């Protein structure tokens, strides 16, 4: 083990001490005879440092008969305070206007709306569809039936609710004295068929939603019968399950007019689960009573 350095060799000039203190060395020690050493590569700016200048002054002996006056410490530089303007409240986030919203709002009747829907390329479904399915029925009906999305047969014929599902729906409506030719208008929430009959994606539903809202306002039904979860969520702008929506008093706001909404099962589901037809019958009776069919 090396011996501790001799205290007699711990000799530094005041200038060296000041310089070492600037480097953060509080207790320096140098070997004997090193008092005349200068720090290597010393910059010219170091010699102008206030601590170095003060050390130089104190290192010079005073003239005979004079008393050294303490060097006053320099006054601290005034602190610059910057006042920042208050940040304005940005408010709620701005949602970009959907292109289809302005197009749908500009349609003054069903013919104009149908033409706008057929020309729509707001989502990728326009690339795989055969035909757009707008709707079928009478104006100002007692009941507007809204399904989920066109299936294969609907896509080929351009009509809503055809094939086995359409036949079942027509039979169901007939039990309450309703039909497409007399007092019913039938449409879908999504106007183009998703490939493979999959559920519509969120961006597809969002692109088609303004067309559906405008269609309901133009058709102007007394009651809306929504069939299936996807259609119910689109019409009511909710993510609730179909079971939680069935049997509840619901309504759709059409330019300030509240249109009653009845939620029920889709005919395609009833074909797979015939035991639910009794529940669907109850929903039909509610829709008939609200629409005042036969009164």
């Amino acid at each position: 083990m090396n011996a501790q350095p001799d205290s007699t060799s711990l000799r530094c000039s005041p200038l060296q001490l000041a310089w070492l203190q600037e480097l953060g060395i509080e207790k320096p020690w140098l070997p004997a005879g090193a008092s005349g050493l200068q720090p290597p590569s010393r910059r010219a700016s170091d010699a102008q440092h206030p601590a170095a200048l003060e050390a130089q002054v104190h290192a010079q002996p005073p003239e005979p008969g004079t008393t050294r006056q303490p060097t006053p410490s320099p006054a601290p530089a005034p602190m610059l305070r910057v006042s920042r303007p208050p940040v304005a409240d940005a408010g709620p986030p701005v949602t970009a206007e959907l292109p289809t919203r302005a197009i749908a709002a500009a349609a003054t009747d069903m013919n104009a709306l149908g033409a706008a829907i057929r020309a729509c390329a707001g989502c990728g479904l326009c690339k795989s569809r055969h035909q757009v399915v707008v709707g079928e029925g009478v104006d100002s009906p007692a009941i507007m039936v809204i399904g989920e999305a066109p299936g294969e047969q609907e896509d080929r014929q351009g009509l809503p609710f055809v094939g086995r599902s359409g036949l079942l729906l027509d039979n169901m409506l007939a039990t309450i004295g309703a039909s497409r030719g007399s007092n019913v208008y039938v449409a879908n929430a999504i106007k183009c068929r998703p490939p493979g009959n999959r559920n519509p994606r969120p961006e597809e539903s969002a692109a088609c939603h303004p067309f559906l809202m405008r269609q309901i306002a133009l058709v102007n039904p007394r009651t809306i019968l929504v069939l299936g979860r996807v259609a119910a969520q689109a019409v009511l702008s909710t993510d609730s399950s179909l079971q939680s929506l069935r049997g509840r008093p619901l309504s759709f706001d059409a330019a300030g007019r509240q249109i009653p909404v009845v939620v029920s099962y889709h005919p395609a589901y009833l074909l797979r689960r015939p035991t639910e037809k009794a529940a669907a019958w109850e929903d039909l009776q509610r829709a008939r009573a609200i629409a005042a069919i036969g009164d």
Side-chain angles (χ1 to χ4, degrees):
M1 180 181 296
N2 295 332
Q4 296 293 330
D6 186 4
S7 60
T8 58
S9 65
L10 304 181
R11 298 174 180 174
C12 300
S13 68
L15 181 59
Q16 289 173 328
L17 288 174
W19 182 80
L20 292 172
Q21 288 175 355
E22 288 297 318
L23 297 180
I25 303 175
E26 299 294 336
K27 297 181 179 181
W29 67 273
L30 292 173
S35 59
L37 294 178
Q38 295 293 332
S41 304
R42 186 180 180 198
R43 299 189 302 268
S45 60
D46 293 338
Q48 304 302 321
H49 195 281
L53 294 175
E54 183 179 0
Q56 290 178 354
V57 172
H58 284 282
Q60 298 176 358
E63 296 181 1
T66 61
T67 302
R68 174 176 291 166
Q69 298 294 328
T71 303
S73 301
M79 182 179 295
L80 180 62
R81 299 184 181 274
V82 180
S83 60
R84 301 190 180 191
V87 179
D89 185 8
V94 178
T95 303
E97 182 78 9
L98 288 172
T100 52
R101 187 173 300 166
I103 297 173
T108 56
D109 55 35
M110 284 301 304
N111 290 331
L113 183 64
I117 294 173
R118 293 182 183 93
C120 176
C123 70
L125 294 182
C126 63
K127 300 176 182 179
S128 59
R129 74 191 181 200
H130 286 89
Q131 294 192 63
V132 168
V133 181
V134 179
E136 180 187 29
V138 301
D139 295 333
S140 300
I143 297 178
M144 180 177 183
V145 179
I146 301 177
E148 298 183 345
E152 182 179 4
Q153 294 300 318
E154 287 86 354
D155 180 48
R156 293 188 179 278
Q157 299 183 37
L159 297 173
F161 284 97
V162 298
R164 295 180 62 203
S165 295
L167 180 59
L168 177 57
L169 174 63
D170 290 340
N171 290 336
M172 293 167 59
L173 293 174
T175 62
I176 61 171
S179 68
R180 307 187 196 203
S182 60
N183 53 6
V184 172
Y185 187 94
V186 183
N188 287 306
I190 307 298
K191 307 306 180 184
C192 299
R193 180 200 179 200
N197 290 347
R198 62 166 172 78
N199 287 334
R201 294 170 179 163
E203 63 271 18
E204 296 163 353
S205 297
C208 222
H209 189 261
F211 290 132
L212 174 64
M213 299 296 101
R214 185 59 178 157
Q215 187 176 29
I216 295 174
L218 290 174
V219 170
N220 191 31
R222 291 203 298 266
T223 307
I224 299 175
L225 175 62
V226 184
L227 304 179
R229 176 185 60 84
V230 173
Q233 292 178 346
V235 172
L236 299 171
S237 298
T238 181
D239 57 358
S240 300
S241 66
L242 185 140
Q243 292 294 346
S244 66
L245 296 173
R246 281 192 64 250
R248 292 174 51 187
L250 305 168
S251 64
F252 174 85
D253 186 354
R257 186 173 78 86
Q258 299 298 317
I259 303 176
V261 175
V262 176
V263 176
S264 188
Y265 297 107
H266 195 280
Y269 175 79
L270 296 176
L271 290 172
R272 300 191 303 269
R273 299 286 298 273
T275 55
E276 300 291 353
K277 288 183 178 180
W281 170 249
E282 295 176 0
D283 299 331
L284 281 174
Q285 293 300 314
R286 291 186 63 243
R288 183 200 61 78
I290 295 173
I293 296 177
D295 293 348

